[in-house]
Amino acid sequence: MGRQKRKKYHRGDTFIQKKFRTRRRTKDLDQIDDDMKPDNAEKLLNQDIDHDLPGAGQNYCLHCAKHFVDLRALKEHFKGRPHKRRLRALKDQPYTQKEAEAAAGMGSYYAPQKRTVETQKVIEKEMDQSEN
């Protein structure tokens, strides 16, 4: 008895491999850094109601760029390991073009500085009970 032949039907299909790799792709740290600027953060945290997003777009984690179904799920996310990991990664300032040129020998290099990143404040919205 010999070994059975392995079937390699999808061996050269790179588009299938890319699809699986990019399915759960999130925003990069420099994109999140742009979102954390006060003007952009205000827009993202106070979005209009969009029924296509989870929780109608009202429960959004700014640091992880994720929407949540309800406020309880958002608070549980703040206690979790992935959120804390993301906060730790955002403590370093993102690289700039000036820093890249300095590393290549076109100026003096200064190491990126640390900054403090706090979890966003959750505003509990009161539901109007007069509709019942």
Side-chain angles (χ1 to χ4, degrees), residues 80-111:
R81 183 179 289 173
H83 180 76
K84 291 177 182 178
R85 242 189 243 144
R86 182 58 61 100
L87 287 179
R88 197 174 318 123
L90 286 170
K91 285 184 181 179
D92 293 331
Q93 290 182 346
Y95 294 109
T96 60
Q97 183 63 31
K98 181 179 176 184
E99 186 177 353
E101 290 172 357
M106 299 169 59
S108 299
Y109 177 73
Y110 297 103

Side-chain angles (χ1 to χ4, degrees), residues 12-25:
D13 296 340
T14 56
F15 66 93
I16 292 176
Q17 295 167 357
K18 286 181 183 178
K19 180 178 80 171
F20 287 126
R21 219 177 298 140
T22 59
R23 177 180 289 169
R24 293 182 190 93
R25 181 139 173 89

Side-chain angles (χ1 to χ4, degrees), residues 27-37 61-65 77 82-95 112-120:
K27 284 187 177 181
D28 291 326
L29 294 177
D30 57 341
Q31 293 172 324
I32 292 174
D33 187 63
D34 290 339
D35 290 345
M36 287 173 48
K37 292 178 182 173
C61 178
L62 184 65
H63 306 295
C64 301
H77 165 73
H83 180 76
K84 291 177 182 178
R85 242 189 243 144
R86 182 58 61 100
L87 287 179
R88 197 174 318 123
L90 286 170
K91 285 184 181 179
D92 293 331
Q93 290 182 346
Y95 294 109
Q113 297 181 0
K114 298 282 186 183
R115 60 184 175 180
T116 57
V117 179
E118 297 289 325
T119 299
Q120 68 197 35

